Amino acid sequence: MTLSRRTMILSALAGSVVSPALARAEVPAMSFPSIDGGMIDLADLRGNPVLVVNTASRCGFTPQYDGLQALHDTYSARGLVVLTVPSNSFNQELASEAEVAEFCELNYNLTVPMTEITPVRGPQAHPFYRWLNDVHGVAPRWNFTKVLLDANGQYVAHFGSTTRPTAPVLTRQIEALLAS
């Protein structure tokens, strides 16, 4: 069974039908404000697989920053972009971008691109997360949900909070994208 046929069957069982074209839809043109100033335009990341992760500084999963940095250190030279999206959608983020940046630098020596504090759920969610939910039925259930996009900006997979960034189930998919 092809992926698109499986997607249509699962969508039909869930009560909605998603066309194969929609299931492969690319991320629409959009950008995030960068925590360092300026913008992170998703279109500028095309040509590279991207792992987008909603994060929070006061979460039990916050030590996953180490794994996100390890992914960056291991795969960025081959093209992987790890984009962290600090969010207070689950009430576990610090009060300001300056506090988040300082916390990540001091505690994790984080060098991956990071957005400003951004809503990831509900009506205030960033357009990326609304697209992810509307088109793919994926909404973060908690902090450190990981969303993998291919080099064309198409959704590949998502992984919940309990999947560590360096887990084989995730790194195998990253390596496959980098090899293609």
Side-chain angles (χ1 to χ4, degrees), residues 37-62:
M39 299 298 286
I40 300 170
D41 190 335
L42 293 180
D44 292 342
L45 304 179
R46 292 275 165 87
N48 300 295
V50 180
L51 183 67
V52 182
V53 186
N54 65 298
T55 61
S57 302
R58 296 183 192 157
C59 178
F61 294 107
T62 301

Side-chain angles (χ1 to χ4, degrees), residues 31-41 114-116:
S31 58
F32 288 89
S34 172
I35 202 163
D36 298 324
M39 299 298 286
I40 300 170
D41 190 335
M114 182 176 284
T115 72
E116 289 183 353

Side-chain angles (χ1 to χ4, degrees), residues 99-143:
E99 290 176 285
V100 172
E102 181 180 23
F103 173 84
C104 290
E105 183 179 341
L106 293 176
N107 293 292
Y108 297 99
N109 199 27
L110 205 63
T111 63
V112 302
M114 182 176 284
T115 72
E116 289 183 353
I117 298 170
T118 304
V120 299
R121 289 185 60 88
Q124 300 301 317
H126 184 276
F128 171 81
Y129 286 97
R130 289 196 311 259
W131 167 81
L132 192 63
N133 187 40
D134 293 348
V135 176
H136 299 288
V138 174
R141 290 179 154 171
W142 198 246
N143 303 307

Side-chain angles (χ1 to χ4, degrees), residues 1-14 16-24:
M1 180 181 311
T2 66
L3 177 61
S4 58
R5 180 157 166 69
R6 183 176 337 136
T7 301
M8 288 183 3
I9 290 170
L10 291 173
S11 296
L13 291 173
S16 64
V17 177
V18 176
S19 73
L22 190 58
R24 291 188 307 270

Side-chain angles (χ1 to χ4, degrees), residues 70-111:
L71 286 178
H72 172 77
D73 294 344
T74 302
Y75 296 112
S76 65
R78 293 176 50 200
L80 178 69
V81 175
V82 177
L83 177 61
T84 57
V85 182
S87 178
N88 198 35
S89 291
F90 303 104
N91 302 312
Q92 294 189 314
E93 189 50 270
L94 297 169
S96 72
E97 280 81 18
E99 290 176 285
V100 172
E102 181 180 23
F103 173 84
C104 290
E105 183 179 341
L106 293 176
N107 293 292
Y108 297 99
N109 199 27
L110 205 63
T111 63

